[in-house]
Amino acid sequence: MKKDDQPKSSQRRTFLKQVATGAAVLSTGMLSAPFSLAAEDTSAPDVSDADEWFKQVKGKHRMVFDVTQPNGTLPFAWPRVFLLTNKKTGTPENECGVVVILRHSAIPYAFGNPLWEKYKFGEMFKINNDATKAVAAQNPFWEPKAGSFKVPGVGEVQIGINELQSSGVMFCVCDVAITVHTAVIAEATKQDAATVKQEWLANLLPGIQVVPSGIWAVGRAQEHGCTYCFAG
């Protein structure tokens, strides 16, 4: 065996390390290269309707949950708690406005299972399955099985993205973060960045709006009367 031949497990570890190292750029302030990539990006989705999307926020009580990183069940449990407790105080869920912003390293939640399986999102972004405590092989919050999430003293709670959407919760995801992470993965796997990004966008979950950036969305949500809540 040649010295540069690595077992598959070793190759995967190397790939994940490369991706993690590249993604760490987001935390160090060394953003000039990623933003250069974003500026030249020919695969950018049309986000011209993002302002119109925010006009759908309605209701007397409005809140935006800002999700910057995986944080267990909390980014999805808190929107449900907001709806349930408003109902207890006389405001039905159809009179509440809730926006969840997935940005930075929380963007995997915006995508379907094929990407989780292919790119090992659970390992890459350090996301575990809350029920099994194992590394998540699929998106744990997309169409979860009945009874997947329970809260002591409360019982079963419906906190799947699809379940929250059915209750009027609006989800959006940061295009800048998508651009940066797909560029890092493309470099690590010797693929074309625009092609990888198009693949990710093709696997976006139904009903999730791509916005220019998560920071942009935080500002727009507050302009539309949403109280800010940091969710991870």
Side-chain angles (χ1 to χ4, degrees):
M1 180 182 293
K2 295 180 181 180
K3 291 183 179 180
D4 57 353
D5 288 337
Q6 301 180 61
K8 289 185 178 179
S9 60
S10 178
Q11 290 177 337
R12 187 174 70 175
R13 284 195 300 271
T14 299
F15 160 65
L16 292 172
K17 184 177 180 180
Q18 287 175 313
V19 171
T21 301
V25 167
L26 287 170
S27 306
T28 62
M30 298 169 60
L31 286 167
S32 57
F35 275 115
S36 175
L37 285 168
E40 300 168 2
D41 183 20
T42 58
S43 62
D46 182 6
V47 295
S48 61
D49 60 345
D51 268 316
E52 288 298 317
W53 182 80
F54 265 103
K55 292 180 181 178
Q56 298 176 43
V57 182
K58 59 185 179 180
K60 178 181 179 181
H61 304 296
R62 304 179 180 188
M63 183 164 285
V64 55
F65 293 91
D66 183 20
V67 189
T68 64
Q69 60 187 351
N71 191 17
T73 62
L74 297 182
F76 308 96
W78 285 347
R80 178 60 70 191
V81 170
F82 179 76
L83 294 173
L84 290 174
T85 49
N86 266 287
K87 184 176 181 180
K88 285 188 175 182
T89 52
T91 305
E93 62 183 29
N94 63 359
E95 292 183 18
C96 293
V98 182
V99 177
V100 177
I101 301 170
L102 302 173
R103 62 187 182 97
H104 200 51
S105 59
I107 61 171
Y109 293 124
F111 300 103
N113 292 327
L115 290 186
W116 283 70
E117 295 164 1
K118 179 176 180 178
Y119 291 104
K120 309 297 181 185
F121 280 173
E123 295 179 50
M124 188 186 306
F125 293 95
K126 297 180 173 26
I127 300 173
N128 290 338
N129 184 303
D130 192 64
T132 64
K133 308 304 179 185
V135 174
Q138 297 183 323
N139 189 335
F141 296 100
W142 179 247
E143 298 183 339
K145 295 180 180 179
S148 294
F149 301 103
K150 296 180 181 179
V151 176
V154 177
E156 182 181 343
V157 288
Q158 295 184 323
I159 59 173
I161 291 173
N162 55 300
E163 295 167 328
L164 291 167
Q165 287 175 327
S166 295
S167 293
V169 177
M170 299 166 60
F171 285 83
C172 62
V173 62
C174 173
D175 181 54
V176 170
I178 294 173
T179 301
V180 171
H181 283 293
T182 52
V184 170
I185 287 175
E187 183 175 356
T189 57
K190 302 188 186 314
Q191 298 183 73
D192 175 67
T195 301
V196 176
K197 183 175 180 180
Q198 286 289 1
E199 178 188 21
W200 283 35
L201 293 173
N203 282 274
L204 195 69
L205 294 178
I208 295 186
Q209 172 72 37
V210 179
V211 292
S213 72
I215 290 296
W216 179 96
V218 168
R220 287 298 193 275
Q222 292 180 90
E223 288 172 11
H224 284 272
C226 293
T227 301
Y228 177 86
C229 180
F230 181 70

